[in-house]
């Protein structure tokens, strides 16, 4: 079992739909990252959080430390949101970043 | 301000040849990472630097891979000799530090290596 698991692996949506991507982890962490990677492109950091909720535009990230779970929400999804979304947990003890395998999102017009 | 700059973007070599990748992190970023990413998978850490010190190189295949970060700024990653299985994207990332207020990651565009 991976220390960081994401679901779903693949997600398709119609433009305008509300999207949720989930990330669960099994280790103690000091922070969790949400990253975005477009096909053939570099990786962009979306959020880094350790508690509560953060919002940036149409993106919202939440984390529940007790449940070891984080979610990334996209409101009013758009085709340009099509990308791979990756969560990465910073292990509190080792300072290692543990990456999930990513969620591939496709938003159709 | 320029982001993390990597070169070359693409490299095609024959097996057993050497190859080197270069990374210029964001100015002032103390932490520098080299990652390997295979198609459809998440990044895998090769080495992490804090300034010029390699603080985590446990996943670096030291028989053929080497890295350096002289003066704690630019870094190079070298493979010698390259093997077919080394074909991947090599990503460089930097951050001010690790912890919450400094740990936001900035990635370069990556160097795509193809070994024939």
């Amino acid at each position: 079992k991976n220390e960081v698991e994401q679901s779903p692996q693949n997600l398709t949506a119609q433009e305008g739909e509300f999207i949720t991507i989930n990330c669960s982890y099994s280790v103690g962490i000091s922070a969790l990252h949400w990253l975005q990677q477009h096909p053939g492109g570099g990786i962009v950091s979306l959020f880094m959080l350790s508690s509560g909720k953060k919002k940036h535009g149409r993106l919202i990230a939440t984390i529940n430390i007790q449940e070891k779970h984080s979610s990334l929400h996209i409101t009013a999804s758009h085709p340009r949101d099509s990308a791979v979304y990756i969560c990465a947990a910073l292990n509190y003890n080792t300072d290692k970043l543990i990456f999930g395998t990513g969620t591939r999102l496709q938003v159709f017009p | 301000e320029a982001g993390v700059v990597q070169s070359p973007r693409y490299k095609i070599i024959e097996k057993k040849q050497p190859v080197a990748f270069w990374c210029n992190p964001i100015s002032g970023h103390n932490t520098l990472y080299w990652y390997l990413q295979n198609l459809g998978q998440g990044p895998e850490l090769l080495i992490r630097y804090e300034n010029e010190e390699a603080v985590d190189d446990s996943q670096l295949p030291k028989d053929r891979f080497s890295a350096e970060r002289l003066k704690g700024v630019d870094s190079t990653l070298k493979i010698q000799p390259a093997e077919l299985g080394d074909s991947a994207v090599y990503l460089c990332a930097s951050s001010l530090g690790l912890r919450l207020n400094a740990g936001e990651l900035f990635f370069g565009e990556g160097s795509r290596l193809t070994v024939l």
Side-chain angles (χ1 to χ4, degrees):
Chain A
K1 191 180 189 316
N2 292 335
E3 291 174 303
V4 176
E5 302 238 343
Q6 286 185 238
S7 64
Q9 280 189 298
N10 295 284
L11 185 56
T12 58
Q14 288 295 125
E15 183 173 357
E17 285 185 5
F18 181 83
I19 305 290
T20 296
I21 299 170
N22 297 299
C23 176
S24 297
Y25 52 91
S26 57
V27 296
I29 69 168
S30 51
L32 185 129
H33 296 259
W34 280 103
L35 310 165
Q36 179 194 57
Q37 186 170 32
H38 282 101
I43 298 176
V44 174
S45 175
L46 299 175
F47 296 103
M48 182 181 184
L49 69 167
S50 64
S51 64
K53 179 167 89 171
K54 284 192 175 181
K55 185 176 189 291
H56 185 255
R58 295 180 295 107
L59 301 178
I60 303 167
T62 64
I63 189 166
N64 185 316
I65 295 295
Q66 287 73 29
E67 294 185 4
K68 296 188 173 177
H69 181 268
S70 176
S71 293
L72 177 69
H73 305 285
I74 306 175
T75 61
S77 59
H78 190 277
R80 65 174 173 267
D81 296 327
S82 299
V84 175
Y85 292 84
I86 304 168
C87 74
L90 181 60
N91 187 303
Y92 181 84
N93 291 315
T94 66
D95 282 342
K96 282 186 186 293
L97 260 181
I98 310 163
F99 289 82
T101 52
T103 294
R104 183 175 301 276
L105 171 66
Q106 287 185 290
V107 182
F108 294 100
Chain B
E1 182 184 352
V4 177
V5 179
Q6 288 189 247
S7 68
R9 286 293 311 277
Y10 304 92
K11 189 75 177 178
I12 302 173
I13 60 172
E14 293 188 343
K15 64 181 180 181
K16 300 186 182 179
Q17 294 300 304
V19 64
F21 306 111
W22 174 80
C23 173
N24 179 231
I26 291 175
S27 178
H29 279 197
N30 299 320
T31 306
L32 183 146
Y33 307 79
W34 281 104
Y35 288 99
L36 176 158
Q37 187 177 28
N38 287 303
L39 191 63
Q41 298 184 24
E44 301 169 31
L45 179 69
L46 291 171
I47 190 167
R48 173 168 67 92
Y49 284 93
E50 295 293 338
N51 299 303
E52 67 274 9
E53 183 183 358
V55 296
D56 185 354
D57 64 356
S58 56
Q59 314 244 62
L60 189 73
K62 296 182 186 64
D63 56 337
R64 297 183 301 107
F65 286 65
S66 64
E68 60 182 13
R69 191 185 184 196
L70 300 175
K71 301 181 182 178
V73 181
D74 294 2
S75 178
T76 56
L77 177 70
K78 297 178 182 177
I79 310 174
Q80 182 171 11
E83 297 179 352
L84 294 175
D86 297 331
S87 295
V89 176
Y90 292 83
L91 294 164
C92 179
S94 71
S95 64
L96 280 170
L98 276 183
R99 297 304 168 187
L100 193 63
N101 293 331
E104 183 182 2
L105 291 167
F106 294 83
F107 284 83
E109 290 292 315
S111 295
R112 182 178 297 276
L113 173 67
T114 302
V115 182
L116 303 175

